[in-house]
């Protein structure tokens, strides 16, 4: 049987929940949100043909990229920067942000409003097929499966009727602190100004934002805590039938770590795993977290301590169910190192609580480093990788199978777990 096309495999394995819509901003009339990320692919060279091609197939390097880039998992490799300005005094007006020379993008960045969005009608499946999917859930760094695992859930659709047997542990609540942009925001990058920052770019230094209606006082200095984090140097060891060893070098400024993975053994059997010592933690944690949540989940052993440098995936939980135990199986792993968050408000909050305080503006800078690794993936058939997109004239490869109903169902379910 032909293996699933690589792009389909990657899209299925790397399931990411989209952020929910944010409420209108409250607080100072002028607010700036800066998201700083460093993304890499374990085992893939940044500039090599294999790394670049795999990166494009996993959602990166698709031409001009607009805001946001840093939230995407997987993301383009390298350093990623997103800036959003919301000025209630004059919303939706362009602005310029003067930046340090070390950022390497010129003297300033042009923040521009996003174009009005368009409603896109999602295509519907012409028919509902009978589907049966079993999902197994494991957790914890261990070479062997621990007692009480896995949790198992089987989902069926037969003759249009939905059935569920068993259940997974409920996911953890992660507050939505992403910005749901609209034309009242001024953004970078944008389709007119989307120059990528370089591997050695730095945000350290003086910043100033100017524009129609922007407070004249909006200038601030960023230190190392608000700068790009180093890449995660993750190494994996072992086949899908083994206990997979995961090791990495300590990441400077990391407050905690978290890893999660999903595997497809065949069209009907999927496995999820996380490094948490408690069940339920999943892909929703591969995002920026506040210091209070990091501290809480470190105490609850949801996250790995900043001194951690290794973890193990239990033996055989990802092994394929095809002939020989390997055919057709693959797994994808995400890892995040949570970095510091910087908040600057002007004027600063007075020490005397009785003294009036009406801040003009505030700036929030979030940092993280992420990496993705493909486990047990056979890259031997990558000579004609674009073939799974068709032959370049819009025609589909005759040998390519359509995405199965089980995969579609799994993707939808995972977005809501």
């Amino acid at each position: 049987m032909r293996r699933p096309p690589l792009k389909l495999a990657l899209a299925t394995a790397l399931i990411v929940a989209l952020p929910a819509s944010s409420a209108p901003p409250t607080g100072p009339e002028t607010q700036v949100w800066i998201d700083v990320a460093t993304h890499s692919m374990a085992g893939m060279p940044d500039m090599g043909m294999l790394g670049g091609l795999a990166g494009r197939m996993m959602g990166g390097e698709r031409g001009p990229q607009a805001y946001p880039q840093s939230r995407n998992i997987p993301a383009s490799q390298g350093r990623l920067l997103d800036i959003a300005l919301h000025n209630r005094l004059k919303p939706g007006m362009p602005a310029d942000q003067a930046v340090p020379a070390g950022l390497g993008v010129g003297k300033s960045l042009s923040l521009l409003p996003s174009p009005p969005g368009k409603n896109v009608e999602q295509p519907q499946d012409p028919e509902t097929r009978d589907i049966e999917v079993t999902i197994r859930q494991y957790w914890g760094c261990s070479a062997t499966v621990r007692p009480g695992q896995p949790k198992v859930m089987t989902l069926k659709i037969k003759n249009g009727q939905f059935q569920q047997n068993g259940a997974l542990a409920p996911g953890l609540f992660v507050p939505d602190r992403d910005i749901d942009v609209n034309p009242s925001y001024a953004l970078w990058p944008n389709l007119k100004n989307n120059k990528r920052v370089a591997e050695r770019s730095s945000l350290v230094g003086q910043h100033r934002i100017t524009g129609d209606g922007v407070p004249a006082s909006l200038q601030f200095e960023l230190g190392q805590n608000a700068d790009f984090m180093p890449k995660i140097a993750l190494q994996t060891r072992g086949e899908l039938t083994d206990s997979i060893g995961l090791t990495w070098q300590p990441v400077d400024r990391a407050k905690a770590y978290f890893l999660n993975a999903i595997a497809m053994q065949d069209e009907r059997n999927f496995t999820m795993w996380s490094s948490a010592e408690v069940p339920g933690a999943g892909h929703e944690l591969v995002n920026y977290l506040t210091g209070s949540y990091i501290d809480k989940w470190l105490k609850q052993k949801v996250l790995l301590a900043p001194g951690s440098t290794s973890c193990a995936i239990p033996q055989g939980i990802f092994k394929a169910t095809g002939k020989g135990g390997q055919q057709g199986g693959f797994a994808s792993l995400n890892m995040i190192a949570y970095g510091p968050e910087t908040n600057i408000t002007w004027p600063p909050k007075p020490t005397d609580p009785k003294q009036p305080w009406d801040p003009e503006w505030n700036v929030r800078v979030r940092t993280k480093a992420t990496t993705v690794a493909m486990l047990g993936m056979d890259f031997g058939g990558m000579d004609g990788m674009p073939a799974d997109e068709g032959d370049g004239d819009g025609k589909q490869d005759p040998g390519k199978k359509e995405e199965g109903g089980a995969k579609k169902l799994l993707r939808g379910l995972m977005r809501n777990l």
Side-chain angles (χ1 to χ4, degrees):
M1 180 181 295
R2 183 181 175 184
R3 293 177 61 86
L6 180 58
K7 185 170 183 180
L8 175 58
L10 298 175
T12 304
L14 294 161
I15 299 167
V16 181
L18 297 176
S21 297
S22 302
T26 58
E29 292 177 320
T30 305
Q31 300 187 64
V32 182
W33 296 270
I34 301 177
D35 286 344
V36 181
T38 304
H39 183 68
S40 60
M41 294 178 62
M44 296 286 188
D46 290 347
M47 301 305 294
M49 180 178 66
L50 185 61
L53 190 52
R56 287 193 295 273
M57 298 191 72
M58 294 175 69
E61 307 298 338
R62 290 181 178 172
Q65 298 291 301
Y67 182 100
Q69 297 185 98
S70 64
R71 300 180 206 164
N72 300 332
I73 300 293
S76 299
Q77 292 192 75
R79 298 187 170 188
L80 305 169
L81 175 64
D82 289 321
I83 303 171
L85 165 70
H86 192 274
N87 182 20
R88 294 206 302 270
L89 299 172
K90 283 199 173 181
M93 298 299 293
D96 285 306
Q97 180 168 335
V99 295
L103 192 57
V105 292
K107 294 183 179 181
S108 65
L109 300 174
S110 297
L111 312 183
L112 301 177
S114 60
K118 296 181 179 179
N119 294 326
V120 179
E121 184 177 350
Q122 297 294 330
Q124 301 294 322
D125 288 338
E127 60 179 334
T128 301
R129 303 175 183 175
D130 290 351
I131 301 169
E132 180 175 340
V133 172
T134 297
I135 305 172
R136 295 171 176 84
Q137 185 182 50
Y138 298 83
W139 58 94
C141 295
S142 174
T144 58
V145 176
R146 295 176 179 177
Q149 298 189 33
K151 290 184 178 296
V152 182
M153 177 175 67
T154 298
L155 306 166
K156 297 180 182 180
I157 296 179
K158 188 171 184 179
N159 298 326
Q161 299 297 313
F162 176 79
Q163 302 176 32
Q164 176 180 332
N165 294 318
L168 305 180
L172 299 179
F173 169 75
V174 179
D176 176 24
R177 301 171 67 239
D178 291 335
I179 303 305
D180 186 23
V181 298
N182 56 55
S184 68
Y185 290 79
L187 311 169
W188 191 91
N190 46 70
L191 295 181
K192 293 184 178 180
N193 189 328
N194 55 18
K195 183 176 181 179
R196 287 286 301 274
V197 296
E199 288 299 310
R200 296 185 179 181
S201 292
S202 173
L203 285 161
V204 173
Q206 288 288 336
H207 297 249
R208 182 176 183 178
I209 300 179
T210 57
D212 190 5
V214 175
S217 60
L218 186 41
Q219 54 184 337
F220 52 94
E221 183 173 359
L222 297 182
Q224 187 182 19
N225 272 355
D227 205 6
F228 297 97
M229 297 178 69
K231 292 181 180 178
I232 301 175
L234 175 66
Q235 293 185 332
T236 66
R237 183 182 67 256
E239 301 296 331
L240 296 186
T241 53
D242 304 326
S243 168
I244 300 175
L246 309 168
T247 57
W248 60 91
Q249 296 296 318
V251 179
D252 183 39
R253 288 171 277 139
K255 302 296 184 182
Y257 302 101
F258 177 73
L259 302 93
N260 82 301
I262 182 169
M264 183 182 84
Q265 285 98 348
D266 59 33
E267 288 281 342
R268 295 188 176 186
N269 289 278
F270 299 83
T271 293
M272 301 190 303
W273 168 87
S274 85
S275 58
E277 289 294 301
V278 296
H283 58 273
E284 68 276 2
L285 269 68
V286 187
N287 199 353
Y288 299 98
L289 291 181
T290 64
S292 60
Y293 272 82
I294 292 174
D295 292 342
K296 178 180 73 171
W297 283 336
L298 278 171
K299 292 179 182 178
Q300 296 175 355
K301 296 186 178 181
V302 173
L303 307 180
L304 298 178
S308 304
T309 57
S310 64
C311 185
I313 298 174
Q315 181 177 7
I317 65 171
F318 291 158
K319 69 179 180 180
T321 57
K323 184 178 181 180
Q326 279 294 107
Q327 183 180 357
F330 64 87
S332 171
L333 177 137
N334 291 318
M335 178 177 180
I336 183 169
Y338 303 100
E341 181 173 309
T342 300
N343 289 277
I344 305 171
T345 304
W346 183 264
K349 187 175 183 178
T351 55
D352 183 358
K354 296 181 180 180
Q355 184 176 342
W357 183 47
D358 184 19
E360 295 182 13
W361 53 264
N362 72 264
V363 175
R364 183 193 73 184
V365 185
R366 305 186 296 183
T367 61
K368 68 175 180 178
T370 54
T371 192
V372 61
M374 302 307 298
L375 309 176
M377 175 63 74
D378 178 11
F379 289 100
M382 294 179 66
D383 294 340
M385 288 178 70
D388 75 313
E389 286 286 280
D391 58 8
D393 60 1
K395 297 179 181 179
Q396 182 171 308
D397 181 352
K400 175 184 174 183
K401 292 185 178 181
E402 293 185 1
E403 182 176 9
K407 295 178 186 176
K408 292 179 182 178
L409 176 62
L410 179 70
R411 270 216 304 259
L413 289 165
M414 290 293 295
R415 290 192 182 100
N416 295 284
L417 288 176

